[in-house]
């Protein structure tokens, strides 16, 4: 059965306690989220400089979350996060690692069941962490939007493609920011203050997705982030954030929870739009 990574667990705890942290420790928290892929190789002085705090504040931060000091906290990033964010680790390398760890002796059917079980675990986690207030805010944003732009790259591009397909069954004007021909700038340049950008990304965050999010903010559009942390580079400044912690099996992360959440988002939006249409029909209109 898949389990949530130690780094994800730590960042979730930090997010829950963020508002209670002193300003200096909030700086450390934001830095850890923003630079999570690099923490494993940075010295405490580098981190302190990046947070604009004294190194002792970094130590206090680590101790507040149950570690003896900075080194023990850093080891969590080093041990847990390298595999998740290293682009050089190809799919072939992951499979070879599974074999090296003895998992390769499993029958194919057992590997399939293990992966299905990991997806089920992810859906259970989605239910536990579901934020109704944020979800309702996301739906309201989409109801009011004149145009809906959707962007996601690489692993999550299929999710963006699905959302656009689903939303095109409504009366909304929907645009997939695909970046075809490298034209992210051109495809998102017309976004305006009455529009919404749905941006989907997980660490290591897609630079194209973050770029589109920045453009949306500059143009006074609303941003709906679908990501793993409210403190992350994508969720931190979004107008609404839907959090997903995907499970993994055999070093491969699932997408089941994300697609489930996006389907729920579409169904809720379609329902609200249909109610809105019905409200414009006068009760006695068809009485004759």
């Amino acid at each position: 059965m898949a389990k949530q990574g130690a780094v994800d667990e730590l960042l979730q705890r930090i997010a829950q306690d963020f508002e209670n942290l002193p300003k200096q420790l909030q700086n450390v928290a934001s830095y850890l989220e923003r630079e999570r892929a690099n923490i494993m190789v940075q010295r405490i002085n580098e981190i302190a400089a990046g947070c604009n705090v004294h190194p002792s504040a970094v130590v206090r931060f680590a101790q507040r979350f149950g570690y003896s000091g900075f080194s023990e906290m850093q080891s969590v990033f080093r041990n847990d996060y390298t595999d998740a964010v290293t682009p050089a680790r190809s799919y072939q390398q992951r499979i070879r690692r599974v074999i090296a760890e003895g998992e390769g002796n499993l029958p194919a059917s057992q590997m399939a069941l293990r992966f299905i079980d990991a997806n089920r675990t992810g859906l259970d986690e989605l239910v536990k962490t579901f934020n109704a207030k944020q979800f309702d805010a996301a739906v309201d944003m989409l109801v009011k939007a004149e145009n809906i732009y959707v962007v996601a790259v690489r692993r999550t591009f299929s999710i963006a493609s699905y959302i656009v397909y689903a939303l095109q069954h409504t009366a909304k004007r929907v645009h997939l920011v695909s970046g075809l021909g490298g034209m992210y700038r051109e495809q998102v340049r017309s976004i305006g203050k009455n529009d919404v950008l749905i941006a989907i990304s997980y660490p290591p965050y897609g630079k194209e997705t973050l770029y589109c999010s920045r453009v949306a903010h500059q143009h006074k559009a609303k941003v709906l982030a679908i990501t793993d942390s409210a403190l992350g580079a994508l969720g931190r400044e979004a107008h609404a954030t839907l959090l997903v912690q995907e499970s993994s099996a055999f070093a491969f992360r699932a997408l089941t929870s994300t697609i489930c959440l996006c389907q729920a988002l579409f169904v809720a939006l379609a329902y609200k739009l249909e109610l809105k249409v019905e409200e414009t029909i006068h009760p006695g209109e068809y009485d004759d």
Side-chain angles (χ1 to χ4, degrees):
M1 181 177 295
K3 63 179 181 179
Q4 189 179 13
V7 167
D8 290 330
E9 289 180 350
L10 172 59
L11 292 176
Q12 190 171 339
R13 287 165 51 209
I14 293 171
Q16 291 170 349
D17 196 34
F18 185 80
E19 296 300 328
N20 299 321
L21 296 175
K23 178 61 177 176
Q24 283 193 332
L25 300 194
Q26 286 185 347
N27 290 348
V28 178
S30 298
Y31 184 88
L32 289 182
E33 175 63 41
R34 186 171 65 251
E35 298 292 330
R36 56 193 290 180
N38 303 313
I39 296 300
M40 68 191 80
V41 296
Q42 292 185 341
R43 296 180 178 179
I44 188 171
N45 288 338
E46 294 176 288
I47 294 174
C51 304
N52 196 28
V53 300
H54 191 273
S56 61
V58 180
V59 175
R60 291 200 308 275
F61 180 90
Q63 292 173 340
R64 181 176 180 118
F65 289 95
Y67 301 102
S68 60
F70 167 72
S71 296
E72 185 179 1
M73 183 180 70
Q74 185 184 42
S75 68
V76 173
F77 287 83
R78 183 177 294 118
N79 296 337
D80 187 71
Y81 202 69
T82 303
D83 294 338
V85 301
T86 304
R89 186 172 293 280
S90 67
Y91 276 23
Q92 184 181 48
Q93 287 174 313
R94 295 186 204 179
I95 292 295
R96 287 176 176 172
R97 179 179 173 182
V98 169
I99 294 172
E101 292 177 350
E103 300 280 13
N105 294 324
L106 285 173
S109 58
Q110 288 299 311
M111 297 186 78
L113 289 172
R114 182 84 67 84
F115 202 83
I116 292 169
D117 197 37
N119 280 272
R120 183 163 46 224
T121 301
L123 288 173
D124 289 341
E125 184 66 25
L126 182 62
V127 172
K128 292 178 184 176
T129 59
F130 183 78
N131 188 319
K133 184 177 180 180
Q134 286 291 302
F135 189 85
D136 290 342
V139 173
D140 287 341
M141 280 168 47
L142 295 177
V143 167
K144 297 172 184 175
E146 291 184 2
N147 292 274
I148 300 173
Y149 292 77
V150 185
V151 63
V153 297
R154 290 174 282 283
R155 185 173 72 96
T156 52
F157 178 77
S158 60
I159 306 294
S161 179
Y162 167 77
I163 295 178
V164 170
Y165 160 76
L167 291 177
Q168 284 174 342
H169 288 80
T170 72
K172 290 292 182 181
R173 293 194 293 271
V174 187
H175 312 273
L176 175 62
V177 184
S178 65
L180 184 63
M183 294 189 293
Y184 286 98
R185 181 178 63 183
E186 290 79 4
Q187 290 178 351
V188 79
R189 69 181 177 83
S190 297
I191 195 169
K193 64 180 181 179
N194 297 319
D195 302 331
V196 171
L197 173 71
I198 301 176
I200 311 166
S201 192
Y202 300 100
Y205 300 107
K207 64 180 185 298
E208 302 91 344
T209 304
L210 295 178
Y211 167 77
C212 291
S213 178
R214 289 196 299 271
V215 171
H217 283 293
Q218 290 167 3
H219 291 197
K220 310 302 182 185
K222 297 287 195 301
V223 175
L224 165 56
I226 300 176
T227 187
D228 66 332
S229 173
L231 294 180
L234 186 60
R236 196 162 48 241
E237 296 182 355
H239 298 85
T241 304
L242 302 182
L243 300 180
V244 182
Q245 298 291 340
E246 288 286 8
S247 293
S248 63
F250 307 111
F252 290 87
R253 286 190 175 186
L255 287 173
T256 305
S257 297
T258 306
I259 191 70
C260 180
L261 184 64
C262 289
Q263 286 178 311
L265 186 66
F266 160 69
V267 171
L269 173 63
Y271 178 77
K272 292 273 284 190
L273 291 175
E274 191 65 23
L275 287 179
K276 191 175 180 181
V277 169
E278 289 184 357
E279 288 172 0
T280 65
I281 300 174
H282 298 294
E285 186 173 348
Y286 301 111
D287 287 352
D288 291 342

